[in-house]
Amino acid sequence: MKPGYSIRARLLLGAALVLLLFMAGAGIAVQRAHTDSVRTAHYDRLQATVYLLLAGAELDDAGRLQLPAELAEPKLSVPGSGLYAGIYNVDQNETWRSASTVGVEPPLVMRKGQPGEWVYDTMEAPNGRKYLAVTYNVRWSVRNRAAPLVLVVLEDQRGLKREVAVFARTLWSWLGGAALLLLLAQLLLLRWGLSPLRAVAQEIRRIEAGDQERVEGRYPDEISGLTENLNALIQQERVRQTRYKEALSFLAHSLKTPLAVLRNALGEPAELPAVVEQQVRRMDDIVQHQLGRAAAGGAARFAPAIAIAPVLERVREALGKVYAEKGLDFTIACAPELQWRIDQGDLFEMMGNLMDNAAKWARSRVEVRATREAGQLRITVDDDGPGFSDTTSVLQLHVRGDERVPGHGVGLAVVNELVGSYHGELELRRAPLGGGRVEVCLPSR
């Protein structure tokens, strides 16, 4: 047998993997969205700084740039503040830089473009430091002439990276904590959800130990079918064991009398052959009956469904050879698609005895009909013989309907016990043909 494994461990591992993948995907998506949002916000601030420069810039009569000593953005006046600006006067080949660029030398690259064009990108200094950059080209009108200007504003990316890093630490800390809490919750839920399985396993161990006879707890719908089938299997096995023990006990007890008769007959040699034949026949009847009781399959909940018609046809073929001299009209009415969950050996035993009994007593006709009615298998065997004079005693062992017809009085008794083992009913009545009718009804469960 292969080593077992834990369903809880498999479910927990699968849930953990799915949760971690989900958390990782969600975290990466949120972090990326936050980074894009922060970058857009920084570009918007840089664009606002460009508008601030446009508001403060002037051109004198010579077309030279004039900017106030103090700008509305304080960072542009603080050296190394991280925010840098420059204006390039194209016609005058003149460049203005903010006071914040002193000692820093940021890469204020003046990219010429179409007037009114905004350019958002990054620039890298010779020392490897990177900057967010916004470039704007404008055509400035001064006394009926246009002066092209290029404005560029830079911001050190370290501020952006710090903001993104702080958010990332916070995000992954919360996501990690949430993942641990969810895993713990899943563990508790799995433990609670799988508790019925543990209870079933404990009950089975108590059944094996002999402390209880069946699964007694009430369980969810998903496993109630399993517990019901377990109880049915346990009950079926116990019935079978009981039947075996009873059959052996009855067999031993029933054989005592024939053996005693044979022992007494040893003293009378003249009567010995007749006594031996009689008692051997009787012992054969007893053995057949007890073996039939012991071999009864019982309610075949776990047996596969078998077709009924082929079994009836095979029994009819065999009986046609046995009773060929009677020339019986043997008819069978059974749909080819009719199937039932029953042990095939039990069905052969039932129908063999019933159809043999009908053929034995029939004058010319035997009719067999098998149908499904209201969730039951109903089988009727009719003959045109004399019928049953006593519908109760003929179901007992060694009781025959007519001593003039050869037989042992075993068949109907065996069938009655087989039908009872399937929780069915067997009835004897008058047939429409004028003879006897045997009707068997077997429930589906």
Side-chain angles (χ1 to χ4, degrees), residues 309-324 328-333 348 351-352 355-356 359 366-368:
V311 175
L312 301 181
E313 292 292 341
R314 288 175 60 183
V315 174
R316 179 175 66 172
E317 291 175 4
L319 294 177
K321 298 176 182 179
V322 175
Y323 297 98
L328 296 175
D329 180 13
F330 221 128
T331 61
I332 293 178
F348 269 109
M351 300 315 301
M355 294 169 68
D356 176 63
V366 175
E367 292 183 359
V368 181

Side-chain angles (χ1 to χ4, degrees), residues 214-252:
R214 62 194 307 274
V215 179
E216 299 173 349
R218 296 185 61 185
Y219 295 99
D221 295 340
E222 290 77 7
I223 60 174
S224 60
L226 172 64
T227 56
E228 290 176 3
N229 286 338
L230 276 175
N231 284 333
L233 186 61
I234 293 170
Q235 181 65 22
Q236 185 174 335
E237 183 62 25
R238 285 178 177 162
V239 168
R240 183 180 290 112
Q241 294 294 333
T242 302
R243 189 180 297 116
Y244 288 155
K245 293 179 181 178
E246 290 179 351
L248 291 175
S249 176
F250 291 156
L251 183 61

